[in-house]
Amino acid sequence: MSAPLLQVRALSVAFAGLEVVHGIDFELAAGERLALVGESGSGKTVSALSLLRLLPEAEVGGSALLQGRDLLRLSERELRGVRGDEVACIFQEPMTALNPLYTVGNQIGEILTLKKGLSARQAEARIVELLAATGMPEPERRARAYPHQLSGGQRQRAMIAMALASEPRLLIADEPTTALDASLRTQMLELLGTLQQRLGMALLLITHDLHLVRQFADRVLVLERGHLVEQGPVAQVFEQAQHPYTRKLLGSRPKRDFGPPPPLPEAPPVLRARQLAVAYEVPRPGLAGWFRRGRFEAVRGVEFELPPGRTLGVVGESGSGKSTLALAALGLLRHQGELQIMGEAWGEPGMGPARANTPRLRRLRRQVQVVFQDPFSSLSPRLNIEQIVGEGLLVHEPHLSVPQRRERVLQALREVGLLPESGPQAELLRWLQRYPHEFSGGQRQRIAIARALIVQPRLLVLDEPTSALDVTVQQQVLELLLRLQREHHLSYLLITHDLDVIWALAHQVLVLQSGAVVEQGSAEQVLQLPQHPYTQSLVQACAPLCPRTGP
Amino acid sequence: MSVLTEAPAAASAAATPLPPALSPGRLAWRRFRRHRLGFYSLILFGLLFVLSLGAELIANDRPLLARYGGQLHAPLLHNPPETAFGGDFETPTDFHDPFIQRQFEQPGNWALFPPIRFHHSSINYFAPEPHPSGPSASNWLGTDDRGRDVAARLLYGFRLSVLFALALTAVGVLLGVLAGAIQGYYGGRVDLVGQRFIEVWGSMPELYLLIIFSALFEPGLLLLLVLLSLFGWMGLSDYVRAEFLRNRQLDYVRAARAMGLSNWQIMRRHILPNSLTPVVTFLPFRMSAAILALTALDFLGLGVPPGTPSLGELLAQGKNNLDAWWISLGTFAVLVLTLLLLTFMGDGLRDALDPRKVQR
């Protein structure tokens, strides 16, 4: 076997004296696909980026030999020659990785003229070639487009074209598909795969998604808190994981953990929609926009009934109107048609909820609460836990005294498993005084659930409740949601793009495509025997990854 | 499958003694304290300000306490007529009068004078040279062209400048936050109208208005405060508006709306505390701008009424009496020190509140 392309020895990374990567070793052969897997905070991105010394504050130790040259000892000037030339990077969020002020062609051309010494004319032809190679439709036209004029998938293609412009020997892909929809994800991976083979590059794939790894990589490295805990060929690691952490990662995919639903009691639906439509006003282009505003129908003709104690999953890609549906159910958007909570409408027919907080609306708001996707933006950073969780009581049960309120807050936090059943009172009170930044993502999501539960709602709107969480934490939050549903007979309106989560929670499923319902039915029926081509493509996109069997 | 839950971790964390909870505000304060220059500037500025608040105890032409003929007087609070000290007239006592001073040299009588024996308005009639006279044992920093003690006037002028700046900043922040909050929270048409109004209002020629108004009305501090406040809130309101626009669409605000909180409650409890970073960061800079504005107007003679101790008026005197270097030099030093301290504080605050700084 020839000498490896990249040889990393005892790589350690520290920030301000605090070591986060503790001496990892690995090798990467030319043309190999290596995956670096771990949860957030495991140091996977940090280790990869510090190979190119792209983190200015990091103190990097060890050695990283790229074809005999130690990247960590090169001068900044020599390193600039390596970056973007022999080693290129693709980042997670293509919108922020492309400069919004330059056209895509400009940005690719910059690399060609700087690194490859092409003239402007030669570069122009090469740009179109590169874009065409990434499967970009109409490459000549797209080369002159600005990043905001491209869709997410097209931007990611442009990023790839940019990375390939210098014909690198090593491509570092940092979560290249996380920001993309399921069906795009597969396409992007296939594209990366074919390009990698054709150009004979080595590929270092950084991801938290194990199923991506199984589908795509040759070898896998598993990182846990900056330690390399396991490495080996993909098949071997997936079949016979040695390290408990790897096994935990592998075992933490959502499972459908409930039997067939008990027969429905005769009860009115918690949430009922009839011919529900939501339209936004959008500015019209040109002079017409000065006088009249256009309308954009984000959701139209949606009909469903959500009985008590059940979960309705709403699936769709980004832009399909599922978040709009969630906001309408929360009474935060004007809507047309009928939308009733426990038989009571949010507003006058055709009016939508008035903005004023009438007592009637406040009473309704108590029935419907929400848990958002991002546990970092859903808690106000300037309020402590007691204030955040207890806020609902201030509004809906203002007669409670401070100790009574505190007791209810503690009870809610116990219910979501954030506090032990008993403990010294002083410790519990200290715990209540903490601020959100002192908690992890999973803990914050539990706090958000406690905030919603404390007013004893009948319906919880879950807007991508687990997609910002690590896989192991995701499973715990799903279990918590299932338990709460059983204990409190709650109804969930579950908004997600992740069919795994739907499978784990939902009784009924509703599939949205560009604002309209294309398929609707029980979870088993929709996910196992999808009828509509769009649903089929969604299920297909993750089918090889998630073999679904009925309970 | 043994999936460890997080709950035991939380439980064990709750069981072990926790360090005291740190609010973001307290963390920022810690970072500010670690910023040496800014923190010491704050201490020094605070000290100077407190000292200047007690200016009457430091620079005054009347003694703090006086004993005459077995009787204790506090001339600082109530100045007895000269007759109380053996004089001939029923007029308030002038303690610089050599006769009165001789009276206090008699055994049994004494007077406790403040370190600077001049009030900002008192004229040294007994100076050895014509005014403006240079630094001497009685006038440490010399006198101005009317024979008033420069050190005393600087002390009172500093106090006036800082108090004025505090008032102007407070009014400006109040108006700016209110205007920015309303525009940013409601957005849409309210925002549009508000922005156009600010553009029109901001393009008014502020200086000429000041000149016109100071001709129309009796010049005074209140008039200046009102006029400068009318224009001083706009810069800040833009920042607050931007913060509100950003914060109002964050999930925690949506959650609060879903909870049924009123608009006012959401603004006050949720958005405002998260939108104050630019306000706090700009406070010292706004203060120094206010001090400079007052000084400039006084320098031009458009500011405070004549006789008021003011740094700008002293600067104007320095310009008119170029050979009396002590006037310009002293005023210049006080101004530079004040503005520097404020700028250092501003730098420290900016670093402490910078969201990009590593949380430690």
Side-chain angles (χ1 to χ4, degrees):
Chain A
M1 185 180 157
S2 61
L5 177 73
L6 178 70
Q7 200 171 14
V8 177
R9 288 280 166 270
L11 177 74
S12 66
V13 186
F15 289 98
L18 193 73
E19 201 173 73
V20 293
V21 176
H22 315 280
I24 59 174
D25 303 275
F26 63 89
E27 283 169 6
L28 180 58
E32 189 185 25
R33 298 172 181 179
L34 179 67
L36 201 53
V37 186
E39 294 188 293
S40 55
S42 60
K44 52 189 193 303
T45 300
V46 168
S47 345
L49 293 187
S50 58
L51 290 180
L52 289 179
R53 300 216 305 261
L54 284 173
L55 303 165
E57 316 87 55
E59 301 142 33
V60 187
S63 69
L65 299 176
L66 182 75
Q67 298 182 306
R69 279 193 302 165
D70 190 348
L71 294 178
L72 304 181
R73 303 273 177 286
L74 290 183
S75 72
E76 190 63 24
R77 198 187 166 80
E78 291 169 304
L79 198 62
R80 267 206 296 275
V82 175
R83 286 182 198 150
D85 196 2
E86 287 164 68
V87 184
C89 292
I90 305 176
F91 297 100
Q92 174 173 356
E93 184 47 73
M95 190 66 216
T96 53
L98 290 170
N99 188 333
L101 291 181
Y102 292 98
T103 63
V104 169
N106 244 325
Q107 298 182 52
I108 302 174
E110 188 181 16
I111 297 172
L112 291 173
T113 46
L114 280 179
K115 299 277 181 190
K116 292 282 155 198
L118 297 189
S119 70
R121 185 177 300 262
Q122 288 169 314
E124 207 167 310
R126 181 85 181 108
I127 291 165
V128 177
E129 243 176 74
L130 281 165
L131 284 176
T134 60
M136 180 84 87
E138 302 180 80
E140 292 91 355
R141 199 160 72 82
R142 302 286 181 230
R144 278 189 289 280
Y146 287 90
H148 72 266
Q149 297 170 312
L150 302 178
S151 71
Q154 288 170 340
R155 279 200 286 268
Q156 196 61 281
R157 282 175 209 271
M159 273 291 296
I160 295 175
M162 217 165 121
L164 298 181
S166 59
E167 292 159 23
R169 262 172 282 206
L170 170 61
L171 183 63
I172 298 179
D174 185 5
E175 305 266 9
T177 58
T178 312
L180 301 177
D181 286 324
S183 50
L184 270 178
R185 235 173 247 197
T186 343
Q187 283 178 31
M188 284 294 79
L189 277 186
E190 278 167 10
L191 170 66
L192 269 181
T194 46
L195 289 172
Q196 183 256 351
Q197 266 169 2
R198 204 162 73 209
L199 303 173
M201 306 180 285
L203 194 95
L204 182 58
L205 175 73
I206 303 163
T207 184
H208 68 275
D209 188 344
L210 282 170
H211 308 285
L212 209 73
V213 173
R214 177 184 287 191
Q215 201 184 16
F216 187 72
D218 303 325
R219 261 185 340 120
V220 59
L221 307 173
V222 183
L223 275 185
E224 183 194 17
R225 291 165 196 241
H227 293 283
L228 189 58
V229 296
E230 185 150 2
Q231 63 173 314
V234 165
Q236 185 192 325
V237 170
F238 273 73
E239 295 311 316
Q240 308 153 337
Q242 299 299 313
H243 195 273
Y245 180 71
T246 318
R247 286 207 290 271
K248 185 171 140 194
L249 278 184
L250 286 173
S252 57
R253 53 175 303 106
K255 290 186 294 286
R256 192 174 173 90
D257 204 12
F258 49 88
L264 280 179
E266 281 300 312
V270 172
L271 179 66
R272 198 169 87 131
R274 285 270 168 276
Q275 285 304 320
L276 176 69
V278 181
Y280 292 110
E281 285 196 336
V282 288
R284 279 168 188 252
L287 200 61
W290 287 55
F291 304 104
R292 290 230 315 272
R293 316 208 100 209
R295 287 168 65 80
F296 168 69
E297 284 216 314
V299 167
R300 60 186 172 276
V302 174
E303 304 214 346
F304 59 82
E305 276 187 9
L306 177 56
R310 294 296 163 86
T311 302
L312 171 67
V314 180
V315 203
E317 297 191 340
S318 47
S320 60
K322 44 186 207 306
S323 288
T324 304
L325 188 62
L327 290 181
L330 285 168
L332 296 179
L333 279 182
R334 286 178 179 277
H335 58 81
Q336 281 86 42
E338 206 178 288
L339 187 62
Q340 290 182 340
I341 309 291
M342 317 280 298
E344 199 172 346
W346 269 119
E348 307 303 313
M351 276 284 298
R355 270 199 117 151
N357 256 322
T358 60
R360 187 186 76 86
L361 270 183
R362 246 203 309 277
R363 214 174 52 245
L364 259 186
R365 292 211 185 282
R366 183 175 186 166
Q367 310 294 335
V368 191
Q369 285 301 310
V370 61
V371 176
F372 285 109
Q373 167 178 8
D374 182 0
F376 289 86
S377 71
S378 66
L379 305 178
S380 170
R382 306 261 166 185
L383 297 181
N384 66 29
I385 301 312
E386 181 173 9
Q387 289 167 323
I388 289 174
V389 178
E391 181 151 53
L393 295 181
L394 281 179
V395 178
H396 296 292
E397 295 179 46
H399 53 84
L400 290 182
S401 69
V402 175
Q404 281 173 324
R405 197 159 57 231
R406 177 167 287 162
E407 197 37 58
R408 288 277 294 276
V409 170
L410 285 173
Q411 190 192 332
L413 288 174
R414 281 193 194 106
E415 197 140 26
V416 297
L418 199 63
L419 280 184
E421 280 305 316
S422 60
Q425 192 68 12
E427 281 303 328
L428 292 183
L429 294 186
R430 291 268 273 298
W431 188 254
L432 286 183
Q433 305 307 317
R434 326 233 90 195
Y435 285 83
H437 67 89
E438 299 169 77
F439 292 90
S440 71
Q443 286 174 323
R444 283 158 160 261
Q445 206 61 317
R446 284 171 198 267
I447 294 169
I449 297 173
R451 166 178 63 186
L453 281 184
I454 201 164
V455 294
Q456 295 157 340
R458 303 295 305 274
L459 170 65
L460 262 191
V461 176
L462 306 168
D463 190 355
E464 307 267 10
T466 58
S467 47
L469 303 176
D470 282 325
V471 273
T472 50
V473 181
Q474 186 177 352
Q475 180 61 21
Q476 294 160 19
V477 171
L478 290 179
E479 277 166 15
L480 170 69
L481 288 171
L482 277 177
R483 177 169 64 78
L484 291 172
Q485 182 167 49
R486 274 197 309 274
E487 288 172 6
H488 297 273
H489 215 56
L490 285 168
S491 300
Y492 292 153
L493 179 66
L494 171 70
I495 312 285
T496 183
H497 69 272
D498 188 344
L499 292 185
D500 277 347
V501 175
I502 292 282
W503 186 244
L505 284 186
H507 302 94
Q508 305 164 33
V509 177
L510 186 147
V511 185
L512 274 181
Q513 185 186 22
S514 5
V517 179
V518 296
E519 191 159 356
Q520 195 166 0
S522 77
E524 288 89 355
Q525 183 194 330
V526 173
L527 293 187
Q528 286 168 345
L529 294 167
Q531 300 299 315
H532 192 273
Y534 176 68
T535 320
Q536 284 166 351
S537 79
L538 275 185
V539 172
Q540 200 116 55
C542 91
L545 314 175
C546 26
R548 250 178 274 280
T549 47
Chain B
M1 199 70 243
S2 68
V3 174
L4 288 170
T5 58
E6 261 190 313
S12 66
T16 53
L18 294 163
L22 288 173
S23 70
R26 212 166 320 150
L27 282 176
W29 172 244
R30 273 192 172 182
R31 285 198 296 274
F32 180 70
R33 286 191 59 158
R34 220 173 283 133
H35 192 280
R36 285 266 184 85
L37 194 59
F39 184 57
Y40 289 126
S41 295
L42 176 69
I43 289 183
L44 187 57
F45 187 82
L47 203 71
L48 287 176
F49 179 56
V50 169
L51 278 181
S52 77
L53 281 181
E56 274 83 2
L57 302 176
I58 297 170
N60 212 318
D61 51 2
R62 289 177 274 177
L64 307 175
L65 275 177
R67 191 180 172 86
Y68 184 83
Q71 240 187 332
L72 206 58
H73 296 272
L76 183 63
L77 304 174
H78 170 74
N79 197 9
E82 242 178 59
T83 47
F85 302 112
D88 301 324
F89 307 108
E90 285 286 329
T91 51
T93 316
D94 177 3
F95 287 90
H96 291 292
D97 190 332
F99 169 75
I100 298 289
Q101 289 188 352
R102 273 199 302 283
Q103 295 291 74
F104 279 102
E105 278 159 19
Q106 288 167 13
N109 298 344
W110 52 263
L112 175 66
F113 278 95
I116 299 173
R117 292 195 181 189
F118 296 93
H119 191 244
H120 69 79
S121 59
S122 54
I123 295 168
N124 186 1
Y125 290 111
F126 306 94
E129 329 168 27
H131 303 310
S133 62
S136 65
S138 58
N139 298 111
W140 297 348
L141 294 178
T143 67
D144 66 2
D145 57 6
R146 262 153 260 171
R148 295 170 298 196
D149 186 67
V150 171
R153 284 188 78 76
L154 280 178
L155 185 64
Y156 284 89
F158 173 78
R159 175 169 79 174
L160 188 78
S161 293
V162 175
L163 283 175
F164 180 81
L166 278 175
L168 187 61
T169 308
V171 176
V173 163
L174 220 64
L175 286 176
V177 168
L178 201 67
I182 289 173
Q183 288 179 70
Y185 184 76
Y186 290 102
R189 208 156 288 165
V190 177
D191 187 34
L192 202 73
V193 172
Q195 285 290 293
R196 295 300 86 74
F197 173 74
I198 284 182
E199 275 161 24
V200 172
W201 196 244
S203 52
M204 297 249 235
E206 196 181 335
L207 188 64
Y208 300 112
L209 280 179
L210 274 175
I211 294 173
I212 294 166
F213 276 107
S214 66
L216 282 180
F217 297 100
E218 186 85 0
L221 273 179
L222 194 66
L223 178 72
L224 275 182
L225 189 66
V226 170
L227 284 176
L228 288 177
S229 299
L230 283 182
F231 297 96
W233 54 273
M234 281 174 288
L236 197 69
S237 86
D238 279 348
Y239 288 105
V240 176
R241 166 180 169 266
E243 286 286 307
F244 265 69
L245 275 177
R246 186 175 67 82
N247 282 320
R248 72 164 182 164
Q249 42 128 13
L250 287 183
D251 286 343
Y252 63 84
V253 175
R254 283 203 184 132
R257 286 178 63 195
M259 191 61 87
L261 267 73
S262 66
N263 287 336
W264 169 244
Q265 282 172 314
I266 293 174
M267 280 202 242
R268 198 174 52 85
R269 270 179 69 93
H270 289 271
I271 310 185
L272 186 64
N274 288 303
S275 304
L276 283 182
T277 302
V279 178
V280 176
T281 313
F282 276 91
L283 281 183
F285 297 111
R286 292 189 58 81
M287 291 238 342
S288 70
I291 290 179
L292 268 183
L294 181 69
T295 308
L297 289 172
D298 287 348
F299 182 78
L300 295 175
L302 301 171
V304 291
T308 318
S310 117
L311 299 177
E313 190 253 0
L314 273 172
L315 275 184
Q317 281 203 26
K319 192 198 81 176
N320 295 334
N321 303 285
L322 280 179
D323 49 337
W325 52 268
W326 52 90
I327 303 180
S328 343
L329 193 72
T331 318
F332 184 72
V334 168
L335 258 181
V336 167
L337 180 72
T338 314
L339 298 183
L340 261 186
L341 288 180
L342 284 169
T343 307
F344 288 152
M345 277 156 62
D347 280 348
L349 269 181
R350 196 181 51 204
D351 284 356
L353 295 173
D354 189 347
R356 283 167 304 177
K357 289 272 159 160
V358 190
Q359 294 257 345
R360 258 176 257 162

